[in-house]
């Protein structure tokens, strides 16, 4: 928890004088909203983003005075939920803007919102032709207190990708023609693209949780998650012996195998079969054979027998680069590994605010 807070503070210092938010969608990237949000709040974070109103309502119960933004916006029938819980919708199309403005009229007061413009992702946010319409009809925003205009970068994790500067240009171009309000563009990697991407509010998630926002370069963040489990069985096998389902792995020599009670049901992805790595007694060892639902098998031949016994702890995610490295082996991103961390793991939160 202290690493998490330190990461947020580092990002907040980088983005000053602009503000820095905390992205806590998907149960705080799988790590537990209940623990993460108060820790970020204690570090100074006041702006939080969730994907939907369920997350935002939980957040507001924990931190009643925080600014709770809902990325998925005003979905059908959610007006009341936004109003009653003091949530801020991210408005993603003109229809939502019109709807929120009408709600403001019937409430007889201005209502806060973030207006999200799509500058190159074709995912969420006002498409460029709607941005043009809004520029022609700024009165559509009457009744809305635009706390921020926002957009989201598609390729910020690729420092030199041409879409970064293109999106920055599109965003600036739109901002210059819309009624004045603060702006928000950068996610974790966006913060590292340079100060011109920071605007008034940054929205980091992954880097707060210790993921590397600068792929290919040294991770500037502190690792915040360590996953470990104990060996539950060991065995000696001979050259040619198969290991695991499908006999996809065969021993190349006489080997020692350790079985660990973690599997794909825990979010330890099956695509890590025979390519994952773990750490036993300070040594990195390869995962051999298929990942099963509840078990994985490691080749511990190179670890002295006395140091790898039933009961010995094995690290599965550790240090500043394993999350990203493992994800790379699995053909995915660390975000997926974090959010997939299963419900069967006992979770110990070390440091951070008292509960
Ligand atoms: C709109 C928006 N902003 C910010 C973020 C945070 O991104 P990251 O976790 O890469 O910092 C996300 C995450 O997907 C997002 O969808």
């Amino acid at each position: 928890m202290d690493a998490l807070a330190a990461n947020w503070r580092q990002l907040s210092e980088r983005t000053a004088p602009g503000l820095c938010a905390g992205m806590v969608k998907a149960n705080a990237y799988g790590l537990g909203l209940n623990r993460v949000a108060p820790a970020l709040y204690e570090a100074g974070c006041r702006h939080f983003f969730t994907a939907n109103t369920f997350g935002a309502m939980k957040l507001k119960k924990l931190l009643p005075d925080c600014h709770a933004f809902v990325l998925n916006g005003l979905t059908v029938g959610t007006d009341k939920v936004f109003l009653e819980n003091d949530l801020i919708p991210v408005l993603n199309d003109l229809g939502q803007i019109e709807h929120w403005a009408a709600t403001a009229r019937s409430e007889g007061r201005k209502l806060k919102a973030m207006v999200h413009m799509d500058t190159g992702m074709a995912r969420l946010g006002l498409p460029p032709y709607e941005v043009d319409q809004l520029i022609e009809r700024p009165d559509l925003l009457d009744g809305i207190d635009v706390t921020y205009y926002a957009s989201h970068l598609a390729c910020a994790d690729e420092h030199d990708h041409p879409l970064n500067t293109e999106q920055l240009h599109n965003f600036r171009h739109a901002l210059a023609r819309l009624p004045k309000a603060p702006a928000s563009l950068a996610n974790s990697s966006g913060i590292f693209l340079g100060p011109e991407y920071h605007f008034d509010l940054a929205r980091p998630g992954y880097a707060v949780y210790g993921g590397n926002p600068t792929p290919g370069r040294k991770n500037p963040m502190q690792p915040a998650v360590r996953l470990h489990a104990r060996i539950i069985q060991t065995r000696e096998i001979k050259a040619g012996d198969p290991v695991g389902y499908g006999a996809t792995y065969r021993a190349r020599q006489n080997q020692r195998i350790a079985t660990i009670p973690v599997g794909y049901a825990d979010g330890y992805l099956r695509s890590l079969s025979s390519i994952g790595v773990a750490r036993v007694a300070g040594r990195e060892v390869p995962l051999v054979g298929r990942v099963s639902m509840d078990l994985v098998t490691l080749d511990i031949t190179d670890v002295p027998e006395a140091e790898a016994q039933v009961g010995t702890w094995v690290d599965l995610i550790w240090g500043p680069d394993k999350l990203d490295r493992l994800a790379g082996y699995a053909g995915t991103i660390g975000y997926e590994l974090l959010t997939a961390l299963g419900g069967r793991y006992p979770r110990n939160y070390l440091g951070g605010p008292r509960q």
Side-chain angles (χ1 to χ4, degrees):
M1 301 306 285
D2 296 333
L4 197 94
N7 286 340
W8 184 84
R9 269 190 240 105
Q10 189 206 134
L11 297 165
S12 165
E13 277 159 26
R14 269 180 197 276
T15 51
L19 296 174
C20 187
M23 191 56 66
V24 291
K25 63 196 172 110
N27 196 25
Y29 284 47
L31 301 187
L33 179 73
N34 287 348
R35 305 301 293 251
V36 167
L40 295 183
Y41 188 92
E42 195 176 79
C45 183
R46 294 293 177 272
H47 297 70
F48 293 85
F49 286 81
T50 62
N52 57 38
T53 50
F54 300 109
M57 277 155 55
K58 281 189 198 148
L59 178 66
K60 274 295 211 182
K61 286 214 174 76
L62 292 165
L63 306 170
D65 72 337
C66 78
H67 305 283
F69 294 87
V70 177
L71 288 166
N72 290 357
L74 273 183
T75 39
V76 179
T78 52
D79 291 42
K80 259 198 163 165
V81 182
F82 278 95
L83 294 173
E84 283 168 8
N85 295 283
D86 187 26
L87 312 181
I88 307 173
V90 177
L91 302 176
N92 288 310
D93 62 36
L94 276 186
Q96 292 184 4
I97 289 178
E98 280 168 337
H99 190 83
W100 201 231
T103 308
R105 278 194 298 279
S106 64
E107 287 285 305
R109 62 185 169 110
K110 277 206 150 193
L111 294 178
K112 287 182 183 168
M114 175 176 255
V115 172
H116 181 193
M117 303 181 278
D118 174 22
T119 54
M121 275 194 91
R123 190 180 70 164
L124 264 186
L126 277 71
Y129 56 87
E130 287 200 349
V131 174
D132 290 341
Q133 282 171 280
L134 190 61
I135 288 163
E136 276 172 23
R137 294 271 321 274
D139 57 294
L140 292 176
L141 292 169
D142 286 353
I144 299 178
D145 172 9
V146 181
T147 55
Y148 294 94
Y149 292 111
S151 193
H152 190 45
L153 297 164
C155 305
D157 56 336
E158 294 177 53
H159 192 274
D160 298 320
H161 199 290
L163 195 52
N164 293 328
T165 46
E166 200 179 307
Q167 286 194 265
L168 179 62
H169 169 83
N170 293 345
F171 191 47
R172 280 198 175 135
H173 189 62
L175 291 178
R177 293 177 299 152
L178 284 163
K180 289 255 159 308
S184 173
L185 179 64
N187 63 339
S188 298
S189 296
I191 292 172
F192 291 82
L193 292 178
E196 65 275 33
Y197 288 82
H198 294 172
F199 292 91
D200 303 294
L201 181 74
R203 308 184 307 268
Y206 192 51
V208 174
Y209 303 105
N212 188 355
T214 58
R217 288 189 276 157
K218 191 170 169 273
N219 189 355
M221 313 315 297
Q222 295 184 32
V225 177
R226 181 172 163 219
L227 176 65
H228 58 174
R230 287 177 192 267
I231 297 175
I232 57 169
Q233 194 166 27
T234 63
R235 68 178 71 260
E236 311 285 337
I237 57 171
K238 290 199 264 333
D241 284 352
V243 179
Y245 279 121
T248 56
Y249 180 84
R250 288 197 181 258
R252 292 184 195 105
Q253 54 186 0
N254 293 348
Q255 279 172 228
R256 212 162 157 251
I257 300 295
T259 302
I260 316 296
V262 165
Y264 60 75
D266 302 297
Y268 197 90
L269 303 182
R270 192 166 176 272
S271 49
L272 286 167
S273 295
S274 282
I275 49 169
V277 291
R279 184 172 68 171
V280 185
R283 283 187 183 71
E284 196 168 299
V285 299
L287 196 150
V288 290
R290 287 216 177 122
V291 173
S292 319
M293 184 184 287
D294 317 300
L295 301 167
V296 292
T297 35
L298 305 175
D299 173 9
I300 54 163
T301 313
D302 292 340
V303 183
E305 204 171 319
E307 293 178 37
Q309 301 278 340
V310 168
T312 300
W313 285 104
V314 173
D315 289 316
L316 296 165
I317 296 176
W318 74 98
D321 70 337
K322 285 307 170 301
L323 178 63
D324 290 285
R325 230 178 97 195
L326 267 187
Y329 292 158
T332 183
I333 51 176
Y335 298 64
E336 189 178 6
L337 290 192
L338 283 186
T339 53
L341 285 173
R344 289 199 295 200
Y345 293 128
R347 292 167 182 234
N348 297 319
Y349 293 86
L350 308 177
R354 282 244 182 100
Q355 282 285 297

